[in-house]
Amino acid sequence: MNINGLMGSLQSGVAQGVLWGIMVLGVYITYKLLDIPDLTADGSFTLGGCVTTVAILSGIPPVPATLMGMGAGFLAGAVTGILHTVFEIPAILAGILTQIGLWSVNLRIMGGKANNPLLKADTTVSFFTDWLGISNSQASMLVGILLVILVILILYWFFGTEIGSALRATGDNEDMVRASSINSDAMKIMGLAIANGLVSLAGCVFDQAERVFEISM
């Protein structure tokens, strides 16, 4: 294999790995900290890319469009949390219900289209590509690394706060949390919302890195 082709493949692989790393941070919150098997991520990842794509193609700048996609994932996680806590549906089933519902929601947002290209649109990745004169893979890697560092710093701060500590304690010992007069249901909803917001953020950036949105991504 040509050395340039090998380096290009490695850069592309590392770039995708970093972007997936943002999603892993979200999944870590539900599976590890809250001890909830959340399957909403399968739908919220696509939801983030879907909302971001439509927003960018509608003329909204990339950064606000990305925040919109992240916010949509936050709401999706909150829906799962409400189904689980208010309606007392098992967590894994609540995630499946939200995931299935998001398939129709994503298609609705896309106007019935299964895919939409971003080849001619300005994105966060294309900004660094044009500004620094680097390849798309290198720009994707740079954006991913910056976001991972930012997210880790924010999460480190948040989980050191009183609310963050209560959220972590909910996953460790829910009975103790309730005995301490902390609303464990609210903590679960918040945790699921934050986690799926991060998963959607990964979908937002992955979508911009690939320059195309695909409903099955």
Side-chain angles (χ1 to χ4, degrees), residues 82-167:
I82 292 172
L83 290 175
H84 174 50
T85 58
V86 177
F87 295 97
E88 298 183 352
I89 298 175
I92 191 168
L93 180 57
I96 291 174
L97 290 174
T98 307
Q99 171 200 348
I100 294 174
L102 285 176
W103 180 270
S104 298
V105 171
N106 292 335
L107 277 175
R108 179 73 175 180
I109 294 174
M110 290 291 293
K113 297 180 181 178
N115 54 69
N116 225 333
L118 286 169
L119 297 176
K120 298 181 180 179
D122 292 329
T123 65
T124 53
V125 175
S126 67
F127 169 78
F128 285 97
T129 301
D130 299 335
W131 180 38
L132 300 176
I134 56 180
S135 67
N136 187 74
S137 296
Q138 292 171 334
S140 301
M141 193 187 314
L142 178 60
V143 171
I145 291 173
L146 291 176
L147 279 177
V148 167
I149 293 174
L150 179 62
V151 169
I152 289 176
L153 291 176
I154 293 175
L155 290 179
Y156 181 81
W157 166 82
F158 173 73
F159 285 118
T161 63
E162 185 175 344
I163 296 178
S165 298
L167 194 153

Side-chain angles (χ1 to χ4, degrees), residues 33-92:
L33 297 185
L34 287 177
D35 194 24
I36 294 178
D38 179 35
L39 295 181
T40 313
D42 288 349
S44 57
F45 181 86
T46 309
L47 176 65
C50 174
V51 172
T52 301
T53 297
V54 172
I56 289 177
L57 293 178
S58 298
I60 298 176
V63 173
T66 301
L67 293 177
M68 289 173 61
M70 185 178 179
F74 188 92
L75 293 176
V79 168
T80 299
I82 292 172
L83 290 175
H84 174 50
T85 58
V86 177
F87 295 97
E88 298 183 352
I89 298 175
I92 191 168

